[in-house]
PDB file of all heavy atoms in Angstrom:
ATOM      1  N   ALA A 179      65.358 -23.194  19.355  1.00 82.00           N
ATOM      2  CA  ALA A 179      64.187 -23.244  18.475  1.00 82.00           C
ATOM      3  C   ALA A 179      64.598 -23.463  17.013  1.00 82.00           C
ATOM      4  O   ALA A 179      64.022 -22.912  16.069  1.00 82.00           O
ATOM      5  CB  ALA A 179      63.340 -21.994  18.589  1.00 82.00           C
ATOM      6  N   GLY A 180      65.677 -24.253  16.813  1.00 83.00           N
ATOM      7  CA  GLY A 180      66.137 -24.576  15.480  1.00 83.00           C
ATOM      8  C   GLY A 180      67.033 -23.524  14.868  1.00 83.00           C
ATOM      9  O   GLY A 180      67.498 -23.687  13.735  1.00 83.00           O
ATOM     10  N   ILE A 181      67.288 -22.415  15.569  1.00 87.00           N
ATOM     11  CA  ILE A 181      68.112 -21.325  15.056  1.00 87.00           C
ATOM     12  C   ILE A 181      69.462 -21.344  15.779  1.00 87.00           C
ATOM     13  O   ILE A 181      69.493 -21.368  17.000  1.00 87.00           O
ATOM     14  CB  ILE A 181      67.431 -19.966  15.255  1.00 87.00           C
ATOM     15  CG1 ILE A 181      66.061 -19.946  14.579  1.00 87.00           C
ATOM     16  CG2 ILE A 181      68.302 -18.836  14.682  1.00 87.00           C
ATOM     17  CD1 ILE A 181      65.268 -18.686  14.859  1.00 87.00           C
ATOM     18  N   PRO A 182      70.574 -21.310  15.048  1.00 87.00           N
ATOM     19  CA  PRO A 182      71.884 -21.290  15.718  1.00 87.00           C
ATOM     20  C   PRO A 182      71.995 -20.100  16.661  1.00 87.00           C
ATOM     21  O   PRO A 182      71.668 -18.987  16.304  1.00 87.00           O
ATOM     22  CB  PRO A 182      72.878 -21.182  14.547  1.00 87.00           C
ATOM     23  CG  PRO A 182      72.146 -21.729  13.368  1.00 87.00           C
ATOM     24  CD  PRO A 182      70.715 -21.353  13.571  1.00 87.00           C
ATOM     25  N   ILE A 183      72.513 -20.362  17.876  1.00 91.00           N
ATOM     26  CA  ILE A 183      72.664 -19.308  18.853  1.00 91.00           C
ATOM     27  C   ILE A 183      73.649 -18.244  18.361  1.00 91.00           C
ATOM     28  O   ILE A 183      73.457 -17.040  18.566  1.00 91.00           O
ATOM     29  CB  ILE A 183      73.133 -19.891  20.192  1.00 91.00           C
ATOM     30  CG1 ILE A 183      72.070 -20.801  20.778  1.00 91.00           C
ATOM     31  CG2 ILE A 183      73.477 -18.779  21.188  1.00 91.00           C
ATOM     32  CD1 ILE A 183      72.474 -21.507  22.039  1.00 91.00           C
ATOM     33  N   ALA A 184      74.682 -18.689  17.666  1.00 90.00           N
ATOM     34  CA  ALA A 184      75.650 -17.727  17.119  1.00 90.00           C
ATOM     35  C   ALA A 184      74.982 -16.797  16.122  1.00 90.00           C
ATOM     36  O   ALA A 184      75.306 -15.608  16.047  1.00 90.00           O
ATOM     37  CB  ALA A 184      76.798 -18.473  16.436  1.00 90.00           C
ATOM     38  N   LEU A 185      74.046 -17.316  15.356  1.00 91.00           N
ATOM     39  CA  LEU A 185      73.301 -16.474  14.394  1.00 91.00           C
ATOM     40  C   LEU A 185      72.449 -15.446  15.122  1.00 91.00           C
ATOM     41  O   LEU A 185      72.368 -14.288  14.715  1.00 91.00           O
ATOM     42  CB  LEU A 185      72.420 -17.345  13.492  1.00 91.00           C
ATOM     43  CG  LEU A 185      71.513 -16.604  12.510  1.00 91.00           C
ATOM     44  CD1 LEU A 185      72.359 -15.771  11.541  1.00 91.00           C
ATOM     45  CD2 LEU A 185      70.650 -17.615  11.729  1.00 91.00           C
ATOM     46  N   VAL A 186      71.808 -15.870  16.208  1.00 92.00           N
ATOM     47  CA  VAL A 186      71.006 -14.950  16.996  1.00 92.00           C
ATOM     48  C   VAL A 186      71.852 -13.815  17.539  1.00 92.00           C
ATOM     49  O   VAL A 186      71.482 -12.638  17.431  1.00 92.00           O
ATOM     50  CB  VAL A 186      70.292 -15.702  18.152  1.00 92.00           C
ATOM     51  CG1 VAL A 186      69.563 -14.705  19.069  1.00 92.00           C
ATOM     52  CG2 VAL A 186      69.324 -16.724  17.612  1.00 92.00           C
ATOM     53  N   LEU A 187      73.005 -14.152  18.107  1.00 93.00           N
ATOM     54  CA  LEU A 187      73.909 -13.126  18.658  1.00 93.00           C
ATOM     55  C   LEU A 187      74.385 -12.194  17.559  1.00 93.00           C
ATOM     56  O   LEU A 187      74.465 -10.958  17.762  1.00 93.00           O
ATOM     57  CB  LEU A 187      75.100 -13.786  19.336  1.00 93.00           C
ATOM     58  CG  LEU A 187      74.805 -14.613  20.583  1.00 93.00           C
ATOM     59  CD1 LEU A 187      76.079 -15.307  21.077  1.00 93.00           C
ATOM     60  CD2 LEU A 187      74.212 -13.755  21.681  1.00 93.00           C
ATOM     61  N   CYS A 188      74.729 -12.749  16.406  1.00 93.00           N
ATOM     62  CA  CYS A 188      75.200 -11.937  15.289  1.00 93.00           C
ATOM     63  C   CYS A 188      74.121 -10.979  14.808  1.00 93.00           C
ATOM     64  O   CYS A 188      74.367  -9.783  14.578  1.00 93.00           O
ATOM     65  CB  CYS A 188      75.655 -12.845  14.159  1.00 93.00           C
ATOM     66  SG  CYS A 188      76.294 -11.963  12.720  1.00 93.00           S
ATOM     67  N   VAL A 189      72.908 -11.484  14.657  1.00 94.00           N
ATOM     68  CA  VAL A 189      71.810 -10.642  14.190  1.00 94.00           C
ATOM     69  C   VAL A 189      71.522  -9.509  15.156  1.00 94.00           C
ATOM     70  O   VAL A 189      71.306  -8.360  14.768  1.00 94.00           O
ATOM     71  CB  VAL A 189      70.551 -11.494  13.933  1.00 94.00           C
ATOM     72  CG1 VAL A 189      69.320 -10.600  13.696  1.00 94.00           C
ATOM     73  CG2 VAL A 189      70.755 -12.410  12.741  1.00 94.00           C
ATOM     74  N   ILE A 190      71.495  -9.850  16.443  1.00 95.00           N
ATOM     75  CA  ILE A 190      71.241  -8.819  17.468  1.00 95.00           C
ATOM     76  C   ILE A 190      72.285  -7.716  17.392  1.00 95.00           C
ATOM     77  O   ILE A 190      71.979  -6.523  17.429  1.00 95.00           O
ATOM     78  CB  ILE A 190      71.221  -9.456  18.876  1.00 95.00           C
ATOM     79  CG1 ILE A 190      69.984 -10.342  19.039  1.00 95.00           C
ATOM     80  CG2 ILE A 190      71.226  -8.366  19.967  1.00 95.00           C
ATOM     81  CD1 ILE A 190      69.977 -11.126  20.326  1.00 95.00           C
ATOM     82  N   ALA A 191      73.569  -8.119  17.298  1.00 95.00           N
ATOM     83  CA  ALA A 191      74.666  -7.146  17.251  1.00 95.00           C
ATOM     84  C   ALA A 191      74.572  -6.278  15.985  1.00 95.00           C
ATOM     85  O   ALA A 191      74.657  -5.042  16.059  1.00 95.00           O
ATOM     86  CB  ALA A 191      76.008  -7.861  17.303  1.00 95.00           C
ATOM     87  N   LEU A 192      74.383  -6.898  14.841  1.00 96.00           N
ATOM     88  CA  LEU A 192      74.373  -6.151  13.588  1.00 96.00           C
ATOM     89  C   LEU A 192      73.129  -5.257  13.450  1.00 96.00           C
ATOM     90  O   LEU A 192      73.225  -4.121  12.996  1.00 96.00           O
ATOM     91  CB  LEU A 192      74.431  -7.116  12.394  1.00 96.00           C
ATOM     92  CG  LEU A 192      75.694  -7.967  12.290  1.00 96.00           C
ATOM     93  CD1 LEU A 192      75.712  -8.752  10.973  1.00 96.00           C
ATOM     94  CD2 LEU A 192      76.952  -7.108  12.374  1.00 96.00           C
ATOM     95  N   VAL A 193      71.997  -5.776  13.873  1.00 96.00           N
ATOM     96  CA  VAL A 193      70.771  -4.954  13.837  1.00 96.00           C
ATOM     97  C   VAL A 193      70.889  -3.789  14.784  1.00 96.00           C
ATOM     98  O   VAL A 193      70.472  -2.667  14.467  1.00 96.00           O
ATOM     99  CB  VAL A 193      69.541  -5.806  14.168  1.00 96.00           C
ATOM    100  CG1 VAL A 193      68.302  -4.928  14.378  1.00 96.00           C
ATOM    101  CG2 VAL A 193      69.259  -6.814  13.047  1.00 96.00           C
ATOM    102  N   GLY A 194      71.476  -4.017  15.957  1.00 96.00           N
ATOM    103  CA  GLY A 194      71.681  -2.922  16.918  1.00 96.00           C
ATOM    104  C   GLY A 194      72.577  -1.855  16.369  1.00 96.00           C
ATOM    105  O   GLY A 194      72.281  -0.634  16.465  1.00 96.00           O
ATOM    106  N   ILE A 195      73.679  -2.242  15.742  1.00 96.00           N
ATOM    107  CA  ILE A 195      74.607  -1.260  15.150  1.00 96.00           C
ATOM    108  C   ILE A 195      73.931  -0.537  14.008  1.00 96.00           C
ATOM    109  O   ILE A 195      74.083   0.687  13.863  1.00 96.00           O
ATOM    110  CB  ILE A 195      75.908  -1.972  14.681  1.00 96.00           C
ATOM    111  CG1 ILE A 195      76.672  -2.510  15.890  1.00 96.00           C
ATOM    112  CG2 ILE A 195      76.780  -1.022  13.856  1.00 96.00           C
ATOM    113  CD1 ILE A 195      77.853  -3.388  15.504  1.00 96.00           C
ATOM    114  N   HIS A 196      73.210  -1.279  13.158  1.00 95.00           N
ATOM    115  CA  HIS A 196      72.511  -0.627  12.041  1.00 95.00           C
ATOM    116  C   HIS A 196      71.500   0.400  12.535  1.00 95.00           C
ATOM    117  O   HIS A 196      71.397   1.500  11.971  1.00 95.00           O
ATOM    118  CB  HIS A 196      71.810  -1.709  11.210  1.00 95.00           C
ATOM    119  CG  HIS A 196      70.980  -1.139  10.096  1.00 95.00           C
ATOM    120  ND1 HIS A 196      71.525  -0.564   8.979  1.00 95.00           N
ATOM    121  CD2 HIS A 196      69.611  -1.050   9.926  1.00 95.00           C
ATOM    122  CE1 HIS A 196      70.562  -0.156   8.166  1.00 95.00           C
ATOM    123  NE2 HIS A 196      69.389  -0.454   8.727  1.00 95.00           N
ATOM    124  N   TYR A 197      70.801   0.048  13.619  1.00 96.00           N
ATOM    125  CA  TYR A 197      69.819   1.004  14.153  1.00 96.00           C
ATOM    126  C   TYR A 197      70.494   2.273  14.666  1.00 96.00           C
ATOM    127  O   TYR A 197      70.044   3.388  14.399  1.00 96.00           O
ATOM    128  CB  TYR A 197      69.031   0.343  15.273  1.00 96.00           C
ATOM    129  CG  TYR A 197      68.022   1.242  15.934  1.00 96.00           C
ATOM    130  CD1 TYR A 197      66.772   1.473  15.358  1.00 96.00           C
ATOM    131  CD2 TYR A 197      68.330   1.936  17.116  1.00 96.00           C
ATOM    132  CE1 TYR A 197      65.847   2.325  15.930  1.00 96.00           C
ATOM    133  CE2 TYR A 197      67.410   2.799  17.702  1.00 96.00           C
ATOM    134  CZ  TYR A 197      66.171   2.993  17.092  1.00 96.00           C
ATOM    135  OH  TYR A 197      65.282   3.858  17.665  1.00 96.00           O
ATOM    136  N   VAL A 198      71.598   2.094  15.385  1.00 95.00           N
ATOM    137  CA  VAL A 198      72.307   3.257  15.914  1.00 95.00           C
ATOM    138  C   VAL A 198      72.807   4.150  14.799  1.00 95.00           C
ATOM    139  O   VAL A 198      72.671   5.385  14.842  1.00 95.00           O
ATOM    140  CB  VAL A 198      73.485   2.807  16.826  1.00 95.00           C
ATOM    141  CG1 VAL A 198      74.366   4.011  17.197  1.00 95.00           C
ATOM    142  CG2 VAL A 198      72.959   2.137  18.086  1.00 95.00           C
ATOM    143  N   LEU A 199      73.372   3.550  13.763  1.00 94.00           N
ATOM    144  CA  LEU A 199      73.935   4.335  12.681  1.00 94.00           C
ATOM    145  C   LEU A 199      72.895   5.033  11.824  1.00 94.00           C
ATOM    146  O   LEU A 199      73.107   6.144  11.330  1.00 94.00           O
ATOM    147  CB  LEU A 199      74.789   3.433  11.760  1.00 94.00           C
ATOM    148  CG  LEU A 199      76.056   2.847  12.374  1.00 94.00           C
ATOM    149  CD1 LEU A 199      76.780   1.975  11.353  1.00 94.00           C
ATOM    150  CD2 LEU A 199      76.986   3.937  12.886  1.00 94.00           C
ATOM    151  N   SER A 200      71.738   4.397  11.650  1.00 94.00           N
ATOM    152  CA  SER A 200      70.745   4.945  10.716  1.00 94.00           C
ATOM    153  C   SER A 200      69.599   5.686  11.381  1.00 94.00           C
ATOM    154  O   SER A 200      68.912   6.465  10.725  1.00 94.00           O
ATOM    155  CB  SER A 200      70.172   3.791   9.873  1.00 94.00           C
ATOM    156  OG  SER A 200      69.533   2.829  10.690  1.00 94.00           O
ATOM    157  N   ARG A 201      69.406   5.481  12.693  1.00 93.00           N
ATOM    158  CA  ARG A 201      68.209   6.026  13.323  1.00 93.00           C
ATOM    159  C   ARG A 201      68.468   6.926  14.515  1.00 93.00           C
ATOM    160  O   ARG A 201      67.519   7.442  15.106  1.00 93.00           O
ATOM    161  CB  ARG A 201      67.307   4.866  13.802  1.00 93.00           C
ATOM    162  CG  ARG A 201      66.877   3.903  12.695  1.00 93.00           C
ATOM    163  CD  ARG A 201      65.850   4.516  11.799  1.00 93.00           C
ATOM    164  NE  ARG A 201      65.401   3.565  10.758  1.00 93.00           N
ATOM    165  CZ  ARG A 201      64.461   3.833   9.886  1.00 93.00           C
ATOM    166  NH1 ARG A 201      63.851   5.015   9.889  1.00 93.00           N
ATOM    167  NH2 ARG A 201      64.118   2.933   8.972  1.00 93.00           N
ATOM    168  N   THR A 202      69.707   7.095  14.923  1.00 95.00           N
ATOM    169  CA  THR A 202      69.975   7.871  16.140  1.00 95.00           C
ATOM    170  C   THR A 202      70.920   9.020  15.853  1.00 95.00           C
ATOM    171  O   THR A 202      71.639   9.031  14.833  1.00 95.00           O
ATOM    172  CB  THR A 202      70.600   6.986  17.243  1.00 95.00           C
ATOM    173  OG1 THR A 202      71.921   6.603  16.854  1.00 95.00           O
ATOM    174  CG2 THR A 202      69.762   5.749  17.472  1.00 95.00           C
ATOM    175  N   VAL A 203      70.952   9.982  16.759  1.00 95.00           N
ATOM    176  CA  VAL A 203      71.832  11.120  16.625  1.00 95.00           C
ATOM    177  C   VAL A 203      73.302  10.697  16.766  1.00 95.00           C
ATOM    178  O   VAL A 203      74.189  11.285  16.157  1.00 95.00           O
ATOM    179  CB  VAL A 203      71.453  12.209  17.655  1.00 95.00           C
ATOM    180  CG1 VAL A 203      71.732  11.731  19.076  1.00 95.00           C
ATOM    181  CG2 VAL A 203      72.216  13.500  17.373  1.00 95.00           C
ATOM    182  N   VAL A 204      73.532   9.665  17.567  1.00 94.00           N
ATOM    183  CA  VAL A 204      74.906   9.166  17.712  1.00 94.00           C
ATOM    184  C   VAL A 204      75.442   8.687  16.383  1.00 94.00           C
ATOM    185  O   VAL A 204      76.622   8.912  16.034  1.00 94.00           O
ATOM    186  CB  VAL A 204      74.965   8.046  18.766  1.00 94.00           C
ATOM    187  CG1 VAL A 204      76.355   7.420  18.822  1.00 94.00           C
ATOM    188  CG2 VAL A 204      74.556   8.555  20.137  1.00 94.00           C
ATOM    189  N   GLY A 205      74.607   8.020  15.602  1.00 94.00           N
ATOM    190  CA  GLY A 205      75.013   7.581  14.291  1.00 94.00           C
ATOM    191  C   GLY A 205      75.388   8.761  13.381  1.00 94.00           C
ATOM    192  O   GLY A 205      76.408   8.717  12.680  1.00 94.00           O
ATOM    193  N   ARG A 206      74.597   9.792  13.419  1.00 95.00           N
ATOM    194  CA  ARG A 206      74.896  10.987  12.620  1.00 95.00           C
ATOM    195  C   ARG A 206      76.190  11.633  13.093  1.00 95.00           C
ATOM    196  O   ARG A 206      76.955  12.168  12.279  1.00 95.00           O
ATOM    197  CB  ARG A 206      73.742  11.984  12.698  1.00 95.00           C
ATOM    198  CG  ARG A 206      72.470  11.483  11.992  1.00 95.00           C
ATOM    199  CD  ARG A 206      71.482  12.600  11.789  1.00 95.00           C
ATOM    200  NE  ARG A 206      70.889  13.037  13.051  1.00 95.00           N
ATOM    201  CZ  ARG A 206      69.815  12.499  13.606  1.00 95.00           C
ATOM    202  NH1 ARG A 206      69.216  11.480  13.020  1.00 95.00           N
ATOM    203  NH2 ARG A 206      69.331  12.952  14.744  1.00 95.00           N
ATOM    204  N   TRP A 207      76.440  11.614  14.385  1.00 96.00           N
ATOM    205  CA  TRP A 207      77.684  12.169  14.920  1.00 96.00           C
ATOM    206  C   TRP A 207      78.900  11.377  14.409  1.00 96.00           C
ATOM    207  O   TRP A 207      79.925  11.952  14.059  1.00 96.00           O
ATOM    208  CB  TRP A 207      77.666  12.126  16.444  1.00 96.00           C
ATOM    209  CG  TRP A 207      76.785  13.175  17.060  1.00 96.00           C
ATOM    210  CD1 TRP A 207      76.233  14.260  16.440  1.00 96.00           C
ATOM    211  CD2 TRP A 207      76.381  13.236  18.437  1.00 96.00           C
ATOM    212  NE1 TRP A 207      75.495  14.999  17.340  1.00 96.00           N
ATOM    213  CE2 TRP A 207      75.586  14.397  18.564  1.00 96.00           C
ATOM    214  CE3 TRP A 207      76.602  12.448  19.561  1.00 96.00           C
ATOM    215  CZ2 TRP A 207      74.997  14.778  19.779  1.00 96.00           C
ATOM    216  CZ3 TRP A 207      76.024  12.799  20.752  1.00 96.00           C
ATOM    217  CH2 TRP A 207      75.244  13.961  20.875  1.00 96.00           C
ATOM    218  N   LEU A 208      78.781  10.044  14.371  1.00 95.00           N
ATOM    219  CA  LEU A 208      79.883   9.212  13.874  1.00 95.00           C
ATOM    220  C   LEU A 208      80.246   9.579  12.426  1.00 95.00           C
ATOM    221  O   LEU A 208      81.428   9.739  12.118  1.00 95.00           O
ATOM    222  CB  LEU A 208      79.500   7.730  13.972  1.00 95.00           C
ATOM    223  CG  LEU A 208      79.485   7.111  15.374  1.00 95.00           C
ATOM    224  CD1 LEU A 208      78.800   5.749  15.342  1.00 95.00           C
ATOM    225  CD2 LEU A 208      80.921   6.956  15.897  1.00 95.00           C
ATOM    226  N   TYR A 209      79.246   9.713  11.590  1.00 95.00           N
ATOM    227  CA  TYR A 209      79.493  10.073  10.201  1.00 95.00           C
ATOM    228  C   TYR A 209      80.061  11.490  10.110  1.00 95.00           C
ATOM    229  O   TYR A 209      80.949  11.762   9.288  1.00 95.00           O
ATOM    230  CB  TYR A 209      78.204   9.974   9.382  1.00 95.00           C
ATOM    231  CG  TYR A 209      77.801   8.549   9.076  1.00 95.00           C
ATOM    232  CD1 TYR A 209      76.749   7.952   9.747  1.00 95.00           C
ATOM    233  CD2 TYR A 209      78.480   7.809   8.090  1.00 95.00           C
ATOM    234  CE1 TYR A 209      76.346   6.647   9.466  1.00 95.00           C
ATOM    235  CE2 TYR A 209      78.080   6.511   7.796  1.00 95.00           C
ATOM    236  CZ  TYR A 209      77.037   5.934   8.499  1.00 95.00           C
ATOM    237  OH  TYR A 209      76.657   4.634   8.206  1.00 95.00           O
ATOM    238  N   ALA A 210      79.556  12.371  10.918  1.00 95.00           N
ATOM    239  CA  ALA A 210      80.003  13.770  10.889  1.00 95.00           C
ATOM    240  C   ALA A 210      81.494  13.856  11.291  1.00 95.00           C
ATOM    241  O   ALA A 210      82.273  14.569  10.652  1.00 95.00           O
ATOM    242  CB  ALA A 210      79.167  14.627  11.828  1.00 95.00           C
ATOM    243  N   VAL A 211      81.898  13.135  12.318  1.00 94.00           N
ATOM    244  CA  VAL A 211      83.283  13.137  12.755  1.00 94.00           C
ATOM    245  C   VAL A 211      84.172  12.587  11.652  1.00 94.00           C
ATOM    246  O   VAL A 211      85.262  13.090  11.396  1.00 94.00           O
ATOM    247  CB  VAL A 211      83.462  12.342  14.072  1.00 94.00           C
ATOM    248  CG1 VAL A 211      84.930  12.176  14.404  1.00 94.00           C
ATOM    249  CG2 VAL A 211      82.721  13.031  15.215  1.00 94.00           C
ATOM    250  N   GLY A 212      83.703  11.555  10.995  1.00 92.00           N
ATOM    251  CA  GLY A 212      84.492  10.963   9.923  1.00 92.00           C
ATOM    252  C   GLY A 212      84.647  11.869   8.727  1.00 92.00           C
ATOM    253  O   GLY A 212      85.715  11.893   8.095  1.00 92.00           O
ATOM    254  N   HIS A 213      83.621  12.631   8.403  1.00 90.00           N
ATOM    255  CA  HIS A 213      83.693  13.560   7.256  1.00 90.00           C
ATOM    256  C   HIS A 213      84.647  14.714   7.544  1.00 90.00           C
ATOM    257  O   HIS A 213      85.500  15.060   6.725  1.00 90.00           O
ATOM    258  CB  HIS A 213      82.305  14.079   6.913  1.00 90.00           C
ATOM    259  CG  HIS A 213      81.460  13.102   6.146  1.00 90.00           C
ATOM    260  ND1 HIS A 213      81.812  12.625   4.900  1.00 90.00           N
ATOM    261  CD2 HIS A 213      80.285  12.515   6.455  1.00 90.00           C
ATOM    262  CE1 HIS A 213      80.888  11.796   4.474  1.00 90.00           C
ATOM    263  NE2 HIS A 213      79.963  11.700   5.391  1.00 90.00           N
ATOM    264  N   ASN A 214      84.487  15.310   8.729  1.00 90.00           N
ATOM    265  CA  ASN A 214      85.319  16.463   9.091  1.00 90.00           C
ATOM    266  C   ASN A 214      85.183  16.674  10.598  1.00 90.00           C
ATOM    267  O   ASN A 214      84.203  17.253  11.058  1.00 90.00           O
ATOM    268  CB  ASN A 214      84.912  17.699   8.316  1.00 90.00           C
ATOM    269  CG  ASN A 214      85.926  18.829   8.500  1.00 90.00           C
ATOM    270  OD1 ASN A 214      86.445  19.070   9.575  1.00 90.00           O
ATOM    271  ND2 ASN A 214      86.201  19.537   7.395  1.00 90.00           N
ATOM    272  N   ALA A 215      86.191  16.222  11.348  1.00 91.00           N
ATOM    273  CA  ALA A 215      86.122  16.274  12.802  1.00 91.00           C
ATOM    274  C   ALA A 215      86.057  17.727  13.306  1.00 91.00           C
ATOM    275  O   ALA A 215      85.311  18.008  14.262  1.00 91.00           O
ATOM    276  CB  ALA A 215      87.313  15.558  13.425  1.00 91.00           C
TER     277      ALA A 215
END
Side-chain angles (χ1 to χ4, degrees):
I181 303 175
I183 295 175
L185 176 60
V186 174
L187 295 176
C188 181
V189 169
I190 291 174
L192 297 187
V193 170
I195 293 172
H196 176 71
Y197 178 81
V198 170
L199 294 180
S200 62
R201 302 287 182 177
T202 69
V203 66
V204 174
R206 291 194 290 273
W207 285 348
L208 286 167
Y209 286 104
V211 172
H213 282 298
N214 190 319

